[in-house]
Structure formats: structure tokens, C-alpha cells
Amino acid sequence: MQTLEQAKQANNGAANIYWVAFLLTGHRGLSVDVTLEAMAFPDDANPFFSTWMLAWSRRVFIAKALAAVREEVTASAHRTASKRAAKAGLPARNWTLDRGTTKAQLESALLAIDTFPRCALLLSVFEGMSLEDVAILLDSELNLVRQAQMIGLQELTRNLARIQGWTSSATESCVVTSEMQHA
């Protein structure tokens, strides 16, 4: 029988998995499908095996989420390959993120980044994966993943700074608003 605390942890785990799927794919409905499929993994009583299984199943889950949007990832990778990480248009070095930044604001800032750099950023920085593992999951070259990670970091910084009222003196925006494409 499941305790109340175990039920809460399971709900938090499902919400976390859904949010990762949503940020990777940019599609709410698709994220629900991938999350429900991931939650079908059986529980195990052995804590060591459960921990290992959780880490392994999370990678499988991420691979399935990425496979669901493979065409978008590939098209975005081609766009990313032709971009350069721009130093112009970033807030001053002393800029800091407001402590009152909400999860919704972070989500909005992330979803405004084109798919490939967003996935490279999410997997390497937020999920803590090595760039080599990210390259495998994104079916891409390591150098392109590095470039995408840098572009993603810069765009996330710009997007969060704009939410806080910062305006760029640059005339061109580098942000691709994939969020609007999937609304």
C-alpha cells in the first residue's frame, strides 16, 4: 500500500517529467503522451535498483520526447549551424536574475529559444548531462551541440533580462519565438 508521502513524491515526479517533456518538445499534448508512457515503468522495492532504474528511465524518457519532435530538432539544428553565438545584445556583466522570477517566466524564456539550442541547454545545464551524451541524444556533432549550448545560454539570459525590463541596444533580435508556433 502506498503512503501519502509516496503518492506526493510520485505526483511531483510526474509533474517534473511532464515539464521536462514540455520544455524539450514545446508541445503540451505530446508532453502528456510521453509522460504517461514514462509513468508506466513498474516500481521496484530495491532502493539501489530503483535509483539506477530512475536515472536510466529518465534518459529513455528524454530520448522518446526528442524522437517525437525529431523533425523539429533536425530543422532547428540546421538553423543553428548557420548561426554564431553573438556577444552583442547581452545585459551588463553585473546583471543578476531577480529572485522573484517565477517558473512561468523561466518557462516562457526557455520556450522562446529555438528547439535545438533549447534542448542542448536543457539537457546539458538543467539535466546535467555531458555534452557527449547530449550529442548522442540529439543525433548531432559535438561541436554543434557546444555552439547550440552557447546560443541557448545567451538567449536565455537575454530573454530573462527582458522579462525584468532590460532592453537591448542591438537592432536585431536573435530569439526565435517557437513558443508562438506551438501555442
Side-chain angles (χ1 to χ4, degrees):
M1 180 154 182
Q2 193 176 37
T3 67
L4 182 58
E5 187 59 34
Q6 288 170 326
K8 284 181 184 178
Q9 287 176 350
N11 280 342
N12 287 341
N16 182 294
I17 287 174
Y18 166 78
W19 199 50
V20 169
F22 178 56
L23 292 175
L24 287 171
T25 66
H27 300 274
R28 291 192 189 278
L30 183 58
S31 301
V32 169
D33 294 342
V34 173
T35 301
L36 290 175
E37 187 177 324
M39 297 310 291
F41 281 104
D43 291 333
D44 186 69
N46 181 329
F48 171 78
F49 186 72
S50 293
T51 302
W52 176 84
M53 185 67 165
L54 181 62
W56 178 81
S57 64
R58 190 167 182 94
R59 297 262 172 136
V60 169
F61 157 75
I62 287 169
K64 286 182 180 191
L66 291 170
V69 290
R70 180 62 56 204
E71 288 180 19
E72 284 181 47
V73 171
T74 301
S76 177
H78 290 305
R79 289 189 297 272
T80 301
S82 65
K83 279 186 180 180
R84 294 233 184 264
K87 292 185 180 185
L90 288 172
R93 286 189 176 272
N94 64 351
W95 175 82
T96 59
L97 184 62
D98 183 0
R99 288 183 178 221
T101 302
T102 65
K103 182 177 178 178
Q105 290 172 319
L106 176 60
E107 182 178 288
S108 177
L110 284 164
L111 289 173
I113 302 170
D114 197 14
T115 307
F116 190 79
R118 181 178 69 233
C119 290
L121 175 66
L122 286 167
L123 296 175
S124 64
V125 175
F126 289 79
E127 288 292 316
M129 291 183 187
S130 71
L131 288 178
E132 291 80 8
D133 286 348
V134 174
I136 291 167
L137 284 167
L138 294 176
D139 193 24
S140 182
E141 295 179 14
L142 186 58
N143 287 337
L144 184 57
V145 170
R146 278 191 187 108
Q147 178 183 347
Q149 180 193 44
M150 182 61 66
I151 290 169
L153 284 168
Q154 289 175 343
E155 290 185 10
L156 178 61
T157 301
R158 254 192 305 275
N159 295 345
L160 288 169
R162 285 182 183 137
I163 288 170
Q164 290 179 204
W166 174 81
T167 55
S168 171
S169 59
T171 57
E172 269 186 46
S173 172
C174 295
V175 176
V176 175
T177 55
S178 63
E179 173 182 39
M180 291 182 195
Q181 297 170 355
H182 306 298

